[in-house]
Amino acid sequence: MTETSQLYIDGAFRPARGSKTYPNIAPTSGQVIGQAADGSVEDMNEAIAAARRTFDQSKWATDRELRLHCLTQFREGIFAARERIKQIALDEVGAPGGCIAGPHCDAPLSFLDYPIETLKNYKFERELPIANTMGFPSRRLVWKEAAGVVGAITPWNVPLQINLAKIFPALAAGCTVVLKPAPETPWSAAVLGEVAAKTDMPKGVFNVVTSAEPAVVGETLVTDPRVDMISFTGSTQTGRRIMAMGAETIKKLFLELGGKSAFIVLDDADFAQVIPTSAFFVLYHAGQGCACFTRLLVPRKRHDEAIGMLKAAFEAMPYTDPSSEQQIMGPLISERQRQRVLNYVKIGKEEGATLVTGGGIPADAPKGGFYVQPTLFANVDNRMRIAQEEIFGPVLCVIPHDGDDDAVRIANDSIYGLSGGVASASQERALAVARRIRTGTYAVNGANYFAADTPFGGYKQSGIGREMGLEGFEEYLETKSVAVPA
């Protein structure tokens, strides 16, 4: 695959100023597979200006039928481009074939109906009963209106899903959008601009700016007073900076940040079924997911039994053709990320955790790819850095617990609160644990919450607000209360 992306600004494609580009690297081979437009601050300013002008001067924010028409076209165009989108996920993300049917292609495409249906059925206006406050009988109207210009900043790990989870609800709500994707995955965003350009969407409604220097261009988007809202998915560290920078203009914020999710196995669980499954949770897409279950909490008396089962599962993970639909673990996104993961392996050993298997670069993986072996640590203390910090790689920390109360205490002992899970022979017992865990999403006995109508987001330093579901749609709305004489 060889492609060259361009910026999509004000309804047209064009190169970055000075025709600047940067190389896009394939995670599976380490080879350059194309060039991406290297947008500048000036390019971003033009995109913001277009989005602002269109929001203020066009009927996009108020004409629901127009939005419905254009978003239906947009959806159809994305489905028509599915094979190309699938190839982009394989090439620039390094997503293995087994993940394409999930969050890297098919799942987010199937989710597109939800914001469209929400737009059809949502009550943007309601009336409250007449109130006689201070002698003035009044009718009260509550209107839901578009938040304004939205800056959407997205990461590289699951780019298509996160791009669509931001832009479709925002556009359906009546906002205009400037999308700034991660530099590692520009085409997953640029292809959406290409599709949008073929719809009847007014110029400036949707804009895409790719850049090799995301901090500089992203800061322009975050600090510009013409931007009303920032919707960001990424690290907690970056989320803190966005909060601080956005404070100057009191921006509306949605933040979906890091996680260090704990999967609790209770003493009555079916170990033969549950323990090997827990390997899947952390090896899927090489652990490059904020909601991956990277801490496994097992009963202390069965710790060694669990380790034996996990060791077999980890060492059986193949490095086959990345495009194979049976493959769920691919490479890391870049050499930089691989070195980050390997550094955490070193930290874990220095902290006294037992490295059971993995921890290095596999000799039998596809040549040149940014692969790391499935890595298993035993006898981990929850105070260790490998148990507290987000590694974003195929690394599992196994922590012993001494019963339900202890497991809950350990799971909650984290700055994060994004996801987690519990396994028990008793659903009532499992649900009792779930109610005590301070996270935004939770899986009981292997059930999957990931769906278009499920709000996703975190407690504590895992973020602010929710994406997807009705709550995700309403993130992009403001509320206006109007009184008229009764």
Side-chain angles (χ1 to χ4, degrees), residues 52 88 97 112 118 123 225 279 288 300 349 364 369 383 393 450:
R52 183 78 262 167
I88 287 172
L112 295 181
T118 302
K123 293 185 177 181
Q288 296 174 112
R300 191 176 300 277
K349 292 189 289 186
D364 55 344
R383 293 169 293 184
F450 185 58

Side-chain angles (χ1 to χ4, degrees), residues 288-308:
Q288 296 174 112
C290 51
C292 289
F293 298 168
T294 53
R295 291 183 293 159
L296 176 64
L297 279 52
V298 299
R300 191 176 300 277
K301 292 181 179 179
R302 304 188 71 177
H303 174 273
D304 292 349
E305 178 187 355
I307 291 299

Side-chain angles (χ1 to χ4, degrees), residues 261-308:
S261 302
F263 179 44
I264 298 172
V265 180
L266 301 182
D267 56 15
D268 63 348
D270 182 351
F271 266 49
Q273 178 182 9
V274 169
I275 297 300
T277 301
S278 67
F280 170 87
F281 292 150
V282 74
L283 300 183
Y284 190 85
H285 191 32
Q288 296 174 112
C290 51
C292 289
F293 298 168
T294 53
R295 291 183 293 159
L296 176 64
L297 279 52
V298 299
R300 191 176 300 277
K301 292 181 179 179
R302 304 188 71 177
H303 174 273
D304 292 349
E305 178 187 355
I307 291 299

Side-chain angles (χ1 to χ4, degrees), residues 8-257:
Y8 181 64
I9 298 175
D10 206 12
F13 272 96
R14 63 169 179 78
R17 285 178 178 267
S19 300
K20 295 189 299 178
T21 63
Y22 67 96
N24 200 12
I25 308 296
T28 51
S29 67
Q31 301 298 310
V32 175
I33 51 174
Q35 298 289 321
D38 188 4
S40 64
V41 169
E42 290 77 15
D43 293 316
M44 178 58 79
N45 275 321
E46 288 188 19
I48 294 170
R52 183 78 262 167
R53 181 173 57 252
T54 302
F55 184 82
D56 292 340
Q57 299 177 11
S58 80
K59 59 182 181 178
W60 179 256
T62 56
D63 191 336
R64 297 172 205 165
E65 291 302 319
L66 172 63
R67 298 204 302 272
L68 184 60
H69 168 69
C70 293
L71 287 175
T72 301
Q73 290 180 317
F74 200 7
R75 175 199 175 279
E76 292 171 353
I78 290 170
F79 267 90
R82 180 192 177 278
E83 289 306 311
R84 183 171 168 218
I85 289 170
K86 173 182 174 180
Q87 194 62 47
I88 287 172
L90 291 167
D91 289 338
E92 78 167 358
V93 186
C99 298
I100 295 298
H104 284 284
C105 185
D106 292 352
L109 265 60
S110 72
F111 292 174
L112 295 181
D113 287 335
Y114 183 83
I116 293 174
E117 290 302 310
T118 302
L119 172 58
K120 285 182 183 178
N121 301 314
Y122 189 78
K123 293 185 177 181
F124 287 87
E125 301 178 5
R126 73 180 194 272
E127 184 170 347
L128 302 177
I130 293 174
N132 191 348
T133 305
M134 296 183 288
F136 295 96
S138 303
R139 294 171 50 215
R140 282 89 40 72
L141 311 176
V142 179
W143 298 343
K144 294 289 187 177
E145 300 179 337
V149 175
V150 173
I153 303 175
T154 57
W156 46 257
N157 61 321
V158 195
L160 177 69
Q161 190 271 320
I162 298 173
N163 289 341
L164 293 177
K166 294 186 187 302
I167 65 176
F168 256 73
L171 295 175
C175 299
T176 55
V177 176
V178 178
L179 173 62
K180 192 209 75 61
E184 294 87 350
T185 51
W187 297 337
S188 295
V191 68
L192 299 179
E194 291 184 25
V195 174
K198 299 174 184 177
T199 72
D200 296 324
M201 210 176 284
K203 294 179 179 181
V205 165
F206 179 51
N207 309 271
V208 181
V209 179
T210 60
S211 175
E213 298 293 336
V216 176
V217 175
E219 286 183 11
T220 300
L221 190 58
V222 171
T223 58
D224 196 302
R226 295 171 293 178
V227 177
D228 300 292
M229 176 179 175
I230 295 294
S231 180
F232 170 76
T233 297
S235 72
T236 295
Q237 181 180 7
T238 304
R240 294 185 191 114
R241 293 186 61 234
I242 287 174
M243 283 192 74
M245 290 186 293
E248 184 66 27
T249 51
I250 317 294
K251 282 197 181 1
K252 185 178 175 74
L253 291 178
F254 166 77
L255 301 174
E256 195 271 282
L257 308 177

Side-chain angles (χ1 to χ4, degrees), residues 237-455:
Q237 181 180 7
T238 304
R240 294 185 191 114
R241 293 186 61 234
I242 287 174
M243 283 192 74
M245 290 186 293
E248 184 66 27
T249 51
I250 317 294
K251 282 197 181 1
K252 185 178 175 74
L253 291 178
F254 166 77
L255 301 174
E256 195 271 282
L257 308 177
K260 195 68 181 179
S261 302
F263 179 44
I264 298 172
V265 180
L266 301 182
D267 56 15
D268 63 348
D270 182 351
F271 266 49
Q273 178 182 9
V274 169
I275 297 300
T277 301
S278 67
F280 170 87
F281 292 150
V282 74
L283 300 183
Y284 190 85
H285 191 32
Q288 296 174 112
C290 51
C292 289
F293 298 168
T294 53
R295 291 183 293 159
L296 176 64
L297 279 52
V298 299
R300 191 176 300 277
K301 292 181 179 179
R302 304 188 71 177
H303 174 273
D304 292 349
E305 178 187 355
I307 291 299
M309 299 170 105
L310 286 165
K311 183 175 185 294
F314 273 45
E315 292 179 349
M317 178 57 61
Y319 294 99
T320 57
D321 176 6
S323 65
S324 168
E325 293 184 0
Q326 282 68 52
Q327 181 65 303
I328 63 157
M329 178 175 165
L332 299 180
I333 189 69
S334 64
E335 179 61 24
R336 176 183 176 184
Q337 182 63 19
R338 176 160 71 176
Q339 290 306 315
R340 170 185 165 86
V341 172
L342 293 176
N343 185 57
Y344 270 108
V345 173
K346 178 182 176 184
I347 290 170
K349 292 189 289 186
E350 292 172 348
E351 289 181 315
T354 302
L355 179 62
V356 177
T357 188
I361 298 174
D364 55 344
K367 187 177 180 181
F370 306 125
Y371 291 86
V372 169
Q373 294 171 315
T375 301
L376 175 63
F377 278 106
N379 299 305
V380 176
D381 187 299
N382 197 56
R383 293 169 293 184
M384 293 177 178
R385 287 182 62 188
I386 59 169
Q388 289 291 324
E389 299 177 14
E390 189 174 44
I391 297 174
F392 232 61
V395 181
L396 180 62
C397 298
V398 181
I399 304 171
H401 71 77
D402 296 309
D404 297 18
D405 290 345
D406 191 45
V408 169
R409 176 191 63 80
I410 294 169
N412 284 334
D413 182 17
S414 170
I415 66 169
Y416 299 112
L418 186 58
S419 192
V422 62
S424 170
S426 165
Q427 183 164 301
E428 182 179 359
R429 184 181 176 190
L431 285 170
V433 168
R435 288 188 180 277
R436 299 171 65 189
I437 303 298
R438 289 190 51 77
T439 63
T441 57
Y442 210 71
V444 172
N445 286 332
N448 186 2
Y449 54 75
F450 185 58
D453 57 355
T454 304

